[in-house]
Amino acid sequence: KHMQPWYLLANISIRKGDLLLQGSSEKKALYEEGIATLSEYTSQVQGLAEPQFVIATLYQTIGNAVSAKEWADKALLLYTPDLATAKRAARFYLTAEDWPNAVFFLRQVMSGDPANYSVQYDLAKAEFLNGNTQEAVAIVERLREEAPGLVETDPEFLAALEGR
């Protein structure tokens, strides 16, 4: 699992792209170079979900929802519990507004990092948007005790919880 060199190589293009305006053709081309590098890596280590979630996120960033979903679907089939991969997947699914998968991966992240209050807060929102209002309320109540002030930073979410 020699991931680091592949990520370093891909990041050369991605970092250059990060400096450019969203939607520019140059940014897209540089991200696609990063995607090509990571795609080559996934062909060599076909059993890893993490680089596939990275590719899905890159496609998501350049606005290619179809390719993003294809890569995420492949990654989901390969996923085995791993904190780094769960973090990448949670980010992808939150952005994609795929609440069931976001909930699953946020819970995975919490199992490896239970004191991460921002992840717990994201989980509360994802649970709410997934229709699990009681679970969202329970998480918010726990956060009010353990991380005072955090949930109060989003009065709209609190109002939505109280309105249900």
Side-chain angles (χ1 to χ4, degrees):
K1 189 173 173 179
H2 295 88
M3 199 178 297
Q4 196 63 24
W6 288 95
Y7 281 105
L8 290 172
L9 185 58
N11 274 334
I12 293 169
S13 300
I14 295 166
R15 297 270 187 232
K16 288 178 185 176
D18 287 346
L19 300 174
L20 301 173
L21 292 175
Q22 186 64 27
S24 73
S25 59
E26 295 88 1
K27 181 181 194 96
K28 182 179 178 185
L30 286 165
Y31 275 36
E32 286 173 343
E33 284 178 23
I35 289 168
T37 299
L38 291 174
S39 294
E40 185 179 339
Y41 175 57
T42 63
S43 71
Q44 293 180 21
V45 290
Q46 297 176 11
L48 294 179
E50 184 178 10
Q52 296 196 26
F53 276 120
V54 173
I55 293 170
T57 301
L58 289 169
Y59 273 124
Q60 192 178 56
T61 301
I62 62 174
N64 187 336
V66 172
S67 293
K69 183 176 179 350
E70 288 172 2
W71 280 93
D73 288 350
K74 288 191 289 186
L76 188 57
L77 294 174
L78 297 172
Y79 178 72
T80 56
D82 166 34
L83 183 59
T85 304
K87 286 179 181 180
R88 291 185 188 279
R91 175 180 170 212
F92 174 83
Y93 288 117
L94 284 169
T95 304
E97 298 181 357
D98 178 338
W99 308 124
N101 280 320
V103 166
F104 173 79
F105 283 105
L106 288 166
R107 287 193 176 282
Q108 293 284 299
V109 173
M110 279 186 49
S111 71
D113 188 6
N116 189 328
Y117 297 123
S118 28
V119 169
Q120 289 183 44
Y121 190 53
D122 286 343
L123 178 60
K125 288 181 176 182
E127 288 282 15
F128 176 75
L129 292 166
N130 197 37
N132 300 327
T133 305
Q134 282 185 312
E135 183 62 22
V137 168
I139 294 168
V140 165
E141 288 174 0
R142 189 171 57 247
L143 285 172
R144 281 187 166 142
E145 291 176 20
E146 296 176 15
L150 176 64
V151 296
E152 288 73 23
T153 61
D154 191 352
E156 291 177 19
F157 176 56
L158 291 177
L161 269 181
E162 292 169 5
R164 291 253 173 163

